[in-house]
Amino acid sequence: MGELKHDKWVGTTYGNGWMHRRLITALRFIDVRVLYAFASVFVVPPTLIVNGKARRTMYSFFRQRLGYGRLRAAWSTYRNHCAFSQVVIDRFAMYAGKKFGIDIDGYDIFSTLSGQPGGFIQLSSHIGNYELAGYSLVAEDKRFNALVFGGEKASVMANRSKMFDGNNIRMISMMPDMSHLFVIDSALTDGEILSMPADRVFGSQKAFVVDFMGAPARFPQGAFLLAAMRDVPMLFVSVMKSGLRRYRISVHRIPATSEGNTRTRAAALAAEYVKLLEATVRRYPTQWYNYFDFWAQ
């Protein structure tokens, strides 16, 4: 069986199971701010030196997409890596039982759809700390199905399962044989919530080309075609770090059109999703965590 992967991105959390367990143990006693400071001084600088590809990718993002000057782009690249290290630390802090303050914008949109009998699709992206949504946006009467990368470390998957336990959340791993598609279909048929990433194309997966941050970029068709074929609502949810121990969740309904065939309606949904994604990235540019040439065709 082949390996499921992005051709320019591996997609797993750094470290092994032993390291992850030690980090969780430490975070039960250590304030996250201590690890933030340690990472910013002793982890991020050498990472920037060793991982030149990620450094160049983010520097190019700030220079070409946001028009920053050289010094500002370099500083923003450092801040981006610090922000990513904080997100990783926060995830393991949650596994250790730490709590974070959460503000939610648009919860009524999620609540309304959750109270209706039909299912819906909730789109994520690789900005902020979307995993936190699984612990915060909970529908009592609907199961939440989260599509996750099938090659993630076993220790991370185990901790996610532990955190999700009791929240009526099921993780669906993306598999090379595409068997996860049957589970996805069943979830929507049963009127459940399906959460999917929509900003990375894996392997040879077909994509819509949409203008994003001033240049054409590829976005996977799957979620949008699924929504168009089944005529189910779509949400865009972002979870952005807004303070040292605080996050802001924003929920947006993705406008749909009834005009045209399935592909035309799906393309329109993709365009609306990209608009929301771009607005979020522009507001939180250092929390954009796609460390490869996103605009490569």
Side-chain angles (χ1 to χ4, degrees):
M1 184 178 292
E3 180 185 3
L4 180 66
K5 63 180 181 179
H6 187 288
D7 57 356
K8 299 196 172 47
W9 167 79
V10 177
T12 59
T13 303
Y14 291 116
N16 55 38
W18 182 88
M19 294 170 62
H20 295 166
R21 289 191 294 272
R22 296 290 78 76
L23 180 58
I24 292 171
T25 299
L27 281 164
R28 293 194 178 108
F29 307 99
I30 299 175
D31 191 304
V32 292
R33 290 172 293 185
V34 174
L35 291 184
Y36 290 171
F38 179 85
S40 67
V41 175
F42 297 105
V43 177
V44 171
T47 298
L48 287 169
I49 295 172
V50 173
N51 194 346
K53 181 178 179 181
R55 183 189 69 244
R56 291 189 296 271
T57 295
M58 291 312 303
Y59 180 81
S60 176
F61 165 73
F62 290 114
R63 287 281 285 156
Q64 298 182 16
R65 301 296 154 224
L66 293 172
Y68 290 1
R70 290 186 177 87
L71 289 178
R72 187 181 180 188
W75 174 244
S76 295
T77 300
Y78 168 75
R79 287 182 58 206
N80 167 264
H81 280 67
C82 288
F84 183 65
S85 70
Q86 291 179 14
V87 163
V88 174
I89 291 168
D90 288 351
R91 287 174 182 168
F92 282 92
M94 287 186 287
Y95 301 155
K98 294 288 179 68
K99 304 295 182 182
F100 293 84
I102 299 172
D103 302 301
I104 304 179
D105 296 327
Y107 181 77
D108 56 319
I109 300 173
F110 176 85
S111 180
T112 297
L113 288 181
S114 298
Q116 297 175 357
F120 62 91
I121 298 174
Q122 183 171 299
L123 296 184
S124 65
S125 53
H126 291 82
I127 54 174
N129 188 0
Y130 179 75
E131 187 170 323
L132 195 66
Y135 315 129
S136 309
L137 295 178
V138 179
E140 295 182 1
D141 299 323
K142 279 186 186 294
R143 180 158 62 175
F144 189 101
N145 299 271
L147 187 66
V148 297
F149 179 65
E152 182 56 279
K153 300 286 174 58
S155 57
V156 174
M157 295 294 285
N159 280 296
R160 282 175 176 169
S161 296
K162 182 178 179 181
M163 289 293 294
F164 289 156
D165 186 37
N167 278 7
N168 200 20
I169 296 173
R170 172 177 61 173
M171 289 186 293
I172 304 173
S173 294
M174 290 185 283
M175 305 304 294
D177 63 1
M178 298 293 123
S179 58
H180 58 277
L181 296 179
F182 297 101
V183 185
I184 287 173
D185 183 72
S186 176
L188 289 178
T189 298
D190 293 339
E192 298 174 353
I193 303 169
L194 175 63
S195 173
M196 303 175 66
D199 65 339
R200 280 182 183 166
V201 178
F202 291 88
S204 61
Q205 185 178 346
K206 295 181 179 180
F208 288 121
V209 178
V210 185
D211 188 79
F212 174 59
M213 305 292 293
R218 300 172 71 238
F219 292 85
Q221 295 181 1
F224 307 107
L225 286 171
L226 185 61
M229 286 188 292
R230 283 187 163 271
D231 193 26
V232 295
M234 297 191 89
L235 299 181
F236 169 72
V237 175
S238 61
V239 185
M240 313 307 295
K241 194 171 180 66
S242 58
L244 284 176
R245 299 191 63 173
R246 197 160 199 88
Y247 281 88
R248 177 171 296 279
I249 299 177
S250 297
V251 181
H252 297 274
R253 178 76 177 261
I254 299 178
T257 179
S258 58
E259 299 179 359
N261 57 26
T262 298
R263 182 177 176 81
T264 299
R265 296 196 305 273
L269 286 168
E272 294 294 338
Y273 164 79
V274 171
K275 288 179 184 178
L276 292 168
L277 177 62
E278 178 167 332
T280 306
V281 172
R282 288 190 180 280
R283 183 176 179 184
Y284 301 94
T286 57
Q287 295 190 50
W288 166 254
Y289 304 131
N290 274 306
Y291 295 108
F292 58 94
D293 188 356
F294 195 82
W295 289 266
Q297 297 297 311

